[in-house]
Amino acid sequence: MGFTGVVPWLETPTLDRMAREGAYIENAFVTTSLSSPSRASILTGQYTHCHTVVDNQAPMPENLVFFPQYLQDNGYKTAFFGKWHMGNQDDNPQPGFDHWECFKGQGTYYNTMLNINGTRTQFPPELYSTDILTEHAIDFIEEQKNNNQEFFVYLSYKSVHSGFEASPSRKGCYQDKPIVYP
């Protein structure tokens, strides 16, 4: 992240702003560094041995309560965008979210199909999934702000997962930069 100064040429203006105007936790960690268990821990506040989503294939117990459900109970509009993949390949809406946009399984970088509130929508093959999700999340946030509505957004990109592909607008932007190991 650019604001750390470790890699002086790294440009991360939004992360830099979030660090300036919000909180930066330098020594944060995850207890299980796999997608599904981490997602279950984030959404339930529980350790893996409690929620039992121990790997990327373990089924999600039906009795799990996700913290956005409590936000809904208190008047928040909640939204999920991106990769759910918690113990199944499903893309169906989950409890706790008023708005739902999800990949099936691992999702794709291009030729993206999203389940949007129960309707599967195919996007043009040249559009990058991260750009689609970001645009939709921003639209949701703007709508809530315009309605003076409290909200919560959970945005889960495919682009942090292997099979890495940059968006067309970012390809090659660091090709002439030196590799720096802190």
Side-chain angles (χ1 to χ4, degrees):
M1 297 173 282
F3 68 88
T4 64
V6 174
V7 181
W9 47 260
L10 186 61
E11 298 172 8
T12 58
T14 304
L15 292 174
D16 298 351
R17 180 177 173 205
M18 288 172 64
R20 247 189 344 269
E21 297 177 13
Y24 166 56
I25 302 170
E26 187 173 355
N27 293 313
F29 65 94
V30 297
T31 58
T32 308
S33 60
L34 289 170
S35 298
S36 296
S38 289
R39 199 170 294 113
S41 292
I42 290 167
L43 288 167
T44 65
Q46 299 176 348
Y47 288 110
T48 305
H49 68 277
C50 294
H51 60 61
T52 71
V53 179
V54 296
D55 58 28
N56 288 338
Q57 288 76 41
M60 184 179 67
E62 291 184 23
N63 63 343
L64 284 184
V65 176
F66 305 123
F67 81 85
Q69 292 171 267
Y70 298 116
L71 295 175
Q72 283 179 316
D73 291 345
N74 285 282
Y76 282 69
K77 290 290 183 195
T78 60
F80 178 89
F81 297 91
K83 182 181 174 196
W84 181 261
H85 189 248
M86 198 178 329
N88 59 35
Q89 299 295 318
D90 205 333
D91 63 354
N92 291 327
Q94 298 294 321
F97 297 100
D98 299 302
H99 184 85
W100 182 262
E101 297 193 23
C102 184
F103 302 119
K104 198 167 224 177
Q106 293 287 337
T108 59
Y109 286 103
Y110 294 96
N111 203 26
T112 303
M113 179 177 291
L114 293 173
N115 179 338
I116 301 178
N117 296 321
T119 301
R120 288 189 179 83
T121 303
Q122 182 72 54
F123 290 86
E126 68 277 5
L127 295 182
Y128 188 61
S129 63
T130 296
D131 295 337
I132 295 167
L133 294 171
T134 301
E135 182 179 309
H136 291 195
I138 290 170
D139 289 347
F140 177 86
I141 291 167
E142 291 298 328
E143 181 182 342
Q144 305 321 304
K145 286 172 52 179
N146 290 340
N147 292 328
N148 204 24
Q149 171 67 54
E150 300 285 336
F151 65 90
F152 169 78
V153 170
Y154 190 107
L155 179 54
S156 182
Y157 291 125
K158 160 73 176 163
S159 58
V160 300
H161 297 86
S162 65
F164 302 110
E165 292 184 39
S167 74
S169 64
R170 305 285 191 276
K171 279 189 179 171
C173 70
Y174 294 119
Q175 69 186 14
D176 297 326
K177 302 297 183 182
I179 297 175
V180 177
Y181 297 100

